[in-house]
Amino acid sequence: MSIEEIIIDKVRILPPDRQQEALDFVEFLLAKIDKQGLSNQPQTSGVSALTMAQEYIGCVEAANDLSTNKNYLDGYGS
């Protein structure tokens, strides 16, 4: 019998509130794995930051280039 089957058999005999606790714990473990970057998702090695962020370019409303508008720089520096 595999570990998975043993866990399933044991969870089945728990009352519903304890089954919910077991589910919460399993979800916690999965979140911990994702946070550590150990999930089974493929790695994106060799991909530039620009390529990864391309879909977000231009999606934020903001003033035009602040470096060319000297009014935004008043009070900074000298």
Side-chain angles (χ1 to χ4, degrees):
M1 185 177 273
S2 72
I3 293 175
E4 181 181 353
E5 292 169 330
I6 294 169
I7 292 170
I8 291 170
D9 287 343
K10 291 185 182 280
V11 168
R12 283 187 177 141
I13 59 176
L14 291 172
D17 60 323
R18 298 298 182 177
Q19 288 180 1
Q20 182 62 52
E21 278 186 55
L23 175 60
D24 292 344
F25 182 67
V26 169
E27 289 174 344
F28 163 76
L29 292 175
L30 291 171
K32 193 173 168 182
I33 289 171
D34 283 344
K35 190 178 252 187
Q36 294 173 350
L38 300 175
S39 66
N40 292 332
Q41 296 177 2
Q43 297 295 318
T44 56
S45 62
V47 178
S48 73
L50 175 62
T51 302
M52 291 175 53
Q54 196 162 9
E55 66 183 288
Y56 302 107
I57 294 173
C59 70
V60 176
E61 297 273 334
N64 290 335
D65 186 6
L66 299 177
S67 67
T68 60
N69 188 337
K70 301 300 180 191
N71 294 331
Y72 290 110
L73 302 175
D74 285 346
Y76 291 101
S78 58

